[in-house]
Amino acid sequence: MKRKYPFPSPVVGERESPRAQLARATIEKPREADVLDKILAVWGTPRTRSTAFLWMMKQRGDFHTFHAPFGQSVYLSEDRKSDRAADHPPKADLNYQAILNMLESHKGKGGCSVFIKDLSYHMDGVVDEEFMSHFHNVFLIRDPAKTLPSLYSVLPDFTEEAIGYETQYRMHQIVLEASDS
C-alpha cells in the first residue's frame, strides 16, 4: 500500500524541490550576517529541562553549543568553589576568564553563533555587569514544586546553594539594571 504524505516530496524528478534546497542551504551554510554579536546564554537551575533546550539548539546547526562550560570552573579550576573534585589538580585553563575567552573565540567560526546552557549556581560570586555584558541572557525558570522533587530524586542531599534560585535572581537583577542605563 502506497503511503500518502501530507507534504510534497523533497525530491522532484532528479532534482531537489525549492523547499528542500532552501532548508538544506539554511542548515548547511549559516550567513555571517546571522552571527550574534554576543554569546546566547540560557541560565537555569537544576532540573529545569535546560539540557533538552541545549539539544534543540545543537540540532539547528547554526550554533556552537556548550553544555555547562562554567561547571568546569566550579569543580576543576583554580577558581573552584566546590571540593567535589578535590582529588583533581586545579587547572588555570578552566578558570572563569579562560572559559569566557574560549567561548568568545568561537563566535563567528564557520559562520556560527555561540550558545551555552549553564546552571546559575555555577556563577555564584562571579557575575557582575561586565561579565553579564558578554551574553544575550535568557533565564529558564521551572515551577519549584516540580523542580525540587525532581532534584531530590537524583540528589537527595542537595543544598539551597546548589539549586541556584538566589544566584539566578541576582543575575537577572544585574541584567535589568544594566538595561536601564
Side-chain angles (χ1 to χ4, degrees):
M1 180 174 192
K2 191 172 182 180
R3 199 171 206 178
K4 292 183 180 178
Y5 293 97
F7 303 105
S9 169
V11 178
V12 177
E14 292 295 315
R15 61 182 178 79
E16 286 181 312
S17 70
R19 174 185 266 170
Q21 289 173 359
L22 178 61
R24 185 175 46 77
T26 303
I27 291 170
E28 291 177 3
K29 299 174 189 160
R31 298 177 309 182
E32 290 294 326
D34 293 336
V35 174
L36 295 175
D37 60 332
K38 298 180 183 182
I39 299 162
L40 179 57
V42 167
W43 307 105
T45 60
R47 314 305 288 175
T48 55
R49 299 183 176 155
S50 56
T51 303
F53 199 91
L54 170 83
W55 279 101
M56 179 272 302
M57 294 300 285
K58 188 178 287 251
Q59 296 304 312
R60 290 173 46 107
D62 59 345
F63 280 89
H64 297 290
T65 57
F66 296 88
H67 180 269
F70 293 107
Q72 298 175 89
S73 302
V74 172
Y75 300 110
L76 300 170
S77 76
E78 295 172 336
D79 298 336
R80 70 173 48 161
K81 298 178 179 301
S82 170
D83 293 330
R84 187 179 295 177
D87 55 328
H88 294 276
K91 296 181 179 180
D93 62 335
L94 297 177
N95 288 348
Y96 284 93
Q97 189 60 52
I99 296 292
L100 180 59
N101 292 344
M102 178 274 298
L103 294 170
E104 289 281 357
S105 76
H106 279 80
K107 283 192 318 194
K109 279 189 180 176
C112 293
S113 299
V114 176
F115 173 84
I116 70 165
K117 165 281 224 225
D118 218 320
L119 299 174
S120 302
Y121 80 88
H122 290 164
M123 311 314 295
D124 190 34
V126 176
V127 295
D128 58 19
E129 185 176 334
E130 194 282 323
F131 184 87
M132 296 300 285
S133 72
H134 290 269
F135 306 96
H136 289 291
N137 298 283
V138 177
F139 297 94
L140 188 59
I141 301 168
R142 184 179 179 207
D143 184 350
K146 293 181 180 177
T147 301
L148 298 177
S150 178
L151 181 57
Y152 181 78
S153 72
V154 295
L155 191 64
D157 61 342
F158 72 86
T159 64
E160 187 176 330
E161 292 77 27
I163 300 169
Y165 285 124
E166 190 66 36
T167 303
Q168 191 175 41
Y169 176 77
R170 283 195 305 274
M171 293 169 75
H172 184 255
Q173 290 303 110
I174 290 168
V175 171
L176 283 179
E177 289 170 10
S179 68
D180 288 341
S181 23

